[in-house]
Short mmCIF file of all heavy atoms in Angstrom, two decimals:
data_model
loop_
_atom_site.label_atom_id
_atom_site.label_comp_id
_atom_site.label_asym_id
_atom_site.label_seq_id
_atom_site.Cartn_x
_atom_site.Cartn_y
_atom_site.Cartn_z
N ARG A 1292 181.10 313.91 28.26
CA ARG A 1292 181.77 313.70 26.97
C ARG A 1292 180.83 313.23 25.87
O ARG A 1292 181.27 312.93 24.76
CB ARG A 1292 182.89 312.69 27.16
CG ARG A 1292 183.92 313.21 28.17
CD ARG A 1292 185.08 312.30 28.32
NE ARG A 1292 185.84 312.27 27.07
CZ ARG A 1292 186.83 311.43 26.85
NH1 ARG A 1292 187.18 310.56 27.76
NH2 ARG A 1292 187.48 311.46 25.71
N ALA A 1293 179.54 313.13 26.14
CA ALA A 1293 178.58 312.62 25.15
C ALA A 1293 178.68 313.40 23.84
O ALA A 1293 178.57 314.63 23.83
CB ALA A 1293 177.17 312.68 25.70
N GLU A 1294 178.91 312.69 22.76
CA GLU A 1294 179.04 313.30 21.44
C GLU A 1294 177.95 312.85 20.48
O GLU A 1294 177.72 313.50 19.47
CB GLU A 1294 180.40 312.90 20.81
CG GLU A 1294 181.60 313.35 21.58
CD GLU A 1294 182.89 312.76 21.01
OE1 GLU A 1294 182.83 311.83 20.17
OE2 GLU A 1294 183.96 313.22 21.41
N ALA A 1295 177.34 311.72 20.77
CA ALA A 1295 176.36 311.16 19.83
C ALA A 1295 175.25 310.44 20.56
O ALA A 1295 175.38 310.10 21.74
CB ALA A 1295 177.07 310.19 18.88
N ARG A 1296 174.17 310.23 19.81
CA ARG A 1296 173.07 309.39 20.27
C ARG A 1296 172.98 308.24 19.28
O ARG A 1296 172.84 308.42 18.08
CB ARG A 1296 171.74 310.15 20.26
CG ARG A 1296 171.59 311.13 21.39
CD ARG A 1296 171.32 310.49 22.71
NE ARG A 1296 169.90 310.27 22.90
CZ ARG A 1296 169.41 309.70 23.97
NH1 ARG A 1296 170.17 309.28 24.93
NH2 ARG A 1296 168.12 309.52 24.08
N CYS A 1297 173.10 307.04 19.81
CA CYS A 1297 172.99 305.83 19.02
C CYS A 1297 171.77 305.10 19.55
O CYS A 1297 171.84 304.43 20.57
CB CYS A 1297 174.24 304.97 19.17
SG CYS A 1297 175.78 305.82 18.73
N GLY A 1298 170.65 305.29 18.87
CA GLY A 1298 169.40 304.78 19.41
C GLY A 1298 169.12 305.49 20.72
O GLY A 1298 169.14 306.72 20.79
N LEU A 1299 168.89 304.75 21.79
CA LEU A 1299 168.65 305.33 23.11
C LEU A 1299 169.94 305.57 23.89
O LEU A 1299 169.90 306.06 25.02
CB LEU A 1299 167.73 304.42 23.93
CG LEU A 1299 166.32 304.23 23.38
CD1 LEU A 1299 165.55 303.23 24.24
CD2 LEU A 1299 165.59 305.54 23.29
N TYR A 1300 171.06 305.19 23.33
CA TYR A 1300 172.35 305.31 24.00
C TYR A 1300 173.00 306.67 23.75
O TYR A 1300 172.95 307.19 22.65
CB TYR A 1300 173.32 304.25 23.48
CG TYR A 1300 173.07 302.86 24.01
CD1 TYR A 1300 172.00 302.11 23.56
CD2 TYR A 1300 173.92 302.29 24.95
CE1 TYR A 1300 171.78 300.82 24.02
CE2 TYR A 1300 173.71 301.01 25.42
CZ TYR A 1300 172.64 300.28 24.96
OH TYR A 1300 172.42 299.01 25.43
N TYR A 1301 173.65 307.20 24.79
CA TYR A 1301 174.58 308.31 24.64
C TYR A 1301 175.93 307.67 24.37
O TYR A 1301 176.23 306.59 24.91
CB TYR A 1301 174.65 309.15 25.91
CG TYR A 1301 173.39 309.92 26.18
CD1 TYR A 1301 172.43 309.44 27.05
CD2 TYR A 1301 173.17 311.15 25.56
CE1 TYR A 1301 171.26 310.15 27.30
CE2 TYR A 1301 172.01 311.86 25.80
CZ TYR A 1301 171.06 311.35 26.67
OH TYR A 1301 169.92 312.05 26.90
N ALA A 1302 176.77 308.33 23.57
CA ALA A 1302 178.04 307.71 23.23
C ALA A 1302 179.12 308.74 22.99
O ALA A 1302 178.84 309.90 22.68
CB ALA A 1302 177.87 306.84 21.98
N TYR A 1303 180.35 308.30 23.12
CA TYR A 1303 181.50 309.09 22.70
C TYR A 1303 182.61 308.12 22.31
O TYR A 1303 182.59 306.94 22.65
CB TYR A 1303 181.95 310.09 23.77
CG TYR A 1303 182.66 309.53 24.97
CD1 TYR A 1303 184.04 309.39 24.98
CD2 TYR A 1303 181.95 309.15 26.10
CE1 TYR A 1303 184.70 308.90 26.08
CE2 TYR A 1303 182.61 308.66 27.21
CZ TYR A 1303 183.98 308.53 27.20
OH TYR A 1303 184.63 308.03 28.29
N MET A 1304 183.55 308.66 21.54
CA MET A 1304 184.68 307.86 21.06
C MET A 1304 185.96 308.37 21.71
O MET A 1304 186.14 309.56 21.90
CB MET A 1304 184.82 307.97 19.54
CG MET A 1304 183.64 307.45 18.75
SD MET A 1304 183.52 305.67 18.71
CE MET A 1304 184.96 305.23 17.75
N GLU A 1305 186.82 307.43 22.02
CA GLU A 1305 188.17 307.73 22.49
C GLU A 1305 189.09 306.90 21.60
O GLU A 1305 189.21 305.69 21.79
CB GLU A 1305 188.30 307.33 23.96
CG GLU A 1305 189.47 307.92 24.67
CD GLU A 1305 189.37 307.66 26.16
OE1 GLU A 1305 189.87 306.61 26.61
OE2 GLU A 1305 188.79 308.51 26.87
N GLY A 1306 189.64 307.55 20.57
CA GLY A 1306 190.35 306.79 19.54
C GLY A 1306 189.32 305.97 18.78
O GLY A 1306 188.32 306.51 18.31
N ASN A 1307 189.53 304.67 18.69
CA ASN A 1307 188.52 303.83 18.05
C ASN A 1307 187.71 303.04 19.09
O ASN A 1307 187.03 302.08 18.75
CB ASN A 1307 189.15 302.90 17.01
CG ASN A 1307 189.96 301.79 17.64
OD1 ASN A 1307 190.58 301.97 18.70
ND2 ASN A 1307 189.98 300.63 17.01
N THR A 1308 187.79 303.46 20.35
CA THR A 1308 187.01 302.82 21.41
C THR A 1308 185.72 303.60 21.65
O THR A 1308 185.75 304.80 21.91
CB THR A 1308 187.81 302.72 22.72
OG1 THR A 1308 189.01 301.98 22.47
CG2 THR A 1308 187.01 302.03 23.81
N LEU A 1309 184.62 302.90 21.54
CA LEU A 1309 183.30 303.47 21.77
C LEU A 1309 182.90 303.21 23.22
O LEU A 1309 183.03 302.10 23.72
CB LEU A 1309 182.27 302.80 20.85
CG LEU A 1309 180.81 303.15 21.13
CD1 LEU A 1309 180.48 304.50 20.52
CD2 LEU A 1309 179.90 302.06 20.59
N TYR A 1310 182.42 304.26 23.89
CA TYR A 1310 181.81 304.14 25.20
C TYR A 1310 180.37 304.61 25.05
O TYR A 1310 180.13 305.70 24.52
CB TYR A 1310 182.52 305.02 26.23
CG TYR A 1310 183.92 304.56 26.54
CD1 TYR A 1310 185.02 305.11 25.88
CD2 TYR A 1310 184.14 303.56 27.49
CE1 TYR A 1310 186.31 304.68 26.17
CE2 TYR A 1310 185.43 303.14 27.77
CZ TYR A 1310 186.50 303.69 27.11
OH TYR A 1310 187.77 303.26 27.38
N ALA A 1311 179.42 303.80 25.49
CA ALA A 1311 178.02 304.17 25.34
C ALA A 1311 177.22 303.67 26.54
O ALA A 1311 177.56 302.66 27.15
CB ALA A 1311 177.46 303.56 24.05
N TRP A 1312 176.17 304.42 26.87
CA TRP A 1312 175.30 304.03 27.97
C TRP A 1312 173.87 304.42 27.67
O TRP A 1312 173.58 305.36 26.96
CB TRP A 1312 175.76 304.65 29.29
CG TRP A 1312 175.59 306.13 29.39
CD1 TRP A 1312 174.58 306.81 30.01
CD2 TRP A 1312 176.45 307.14 28.84
NE1 TRP A 1312 174.76 308.15 29.89
CE2 TRP A 1312 175.91 308.38 29.16
CE3 TRP A 1312 177.63 307.09 28.09
CZ2 TRP A 1312 176.49 309.58 28.77
CZ3 TRP A 1312 178.22 308.28 27.70
CH2 TRP A 1312 177.65 309.50 28.05
N GLN A 1313 172.99 303.64 28.22
CA GLN A 1313 171.55 303.86 28.09
C GLN A 1313 170.97 304.06 29.48
O GLN A 1313 171.32 303.32 30.41
CB GLN A 1313 170.91 302.64 27.42
CG GLN A 1313 169.40 302.73 27.31
CD GLN A 1313 168.84 301.50 26.63
OE1 GLN A 1313 168.84 301.43 25.41
NE2 GLN A 1313 168.40 300.53 27.41
N ALA A 1314 170.08 305.03 29.60
CA ALA A 1314 169.44 305.32 30.89
C ALA A 1314 168.08 304.63 30.96
O ALA A 1314 167.35 304.55 29.97
CB ALA A 1314 169.27 306.82 31.05
N ASN A 1315 167.75 304.17 32.13
CA ASN A 1315 166.46 303.50 32.33
C ASN A 1315 165.30 304.42 31.95
O ASN A 1315 164.31 303.96 31.38
CB ASN A 1315 166.32 303.03 33.78
CG ASN A 1315 165.03 302.27 33.99
OD1 ASN A 1315 164.83 301.21 33.40
ND2 ASN A 1315 164.15 302.81 34.80
N ASP A 1316 165.38 305.71 32.28
CA ASP A 1316 164.27 306.63 31.97
C ASP A 1316 163.99 306.68 30.47
O ASP A 1316 162.84 306.68 30.04
CB ASP A 1316 164.57 308.04 32.49
CG ASP A 1316 164.58 308.11 34.01
OD1 ASP A 1316 164.10 307.16 34.66
OD2 ASP A 1316 165.06 309.11 34.54
#
């Protein structure tokens, strides 16, 4: 579901809830 890159994070929105993760690599 990744829709955006916020710095090193991948992110997506579900309504106004942001889910984001950063990979060690």
Side-chain angles (χ1 to χ4, degrees):
R1292 299 184 66 188
E1294 299 172 348
R1296 285 286 272 179
C1297 303
L1299 296 176
Y1300 284 74
Y1301 291 97
Y1303 73 90
M1304 298 286 293
E1305 197 170 89
N1307 72 326
T1308 302
L1309 171 80
Y1310 293 96
W1312 69 98
Q1313 176 179 277
N1315 184 63
D1316 292 346

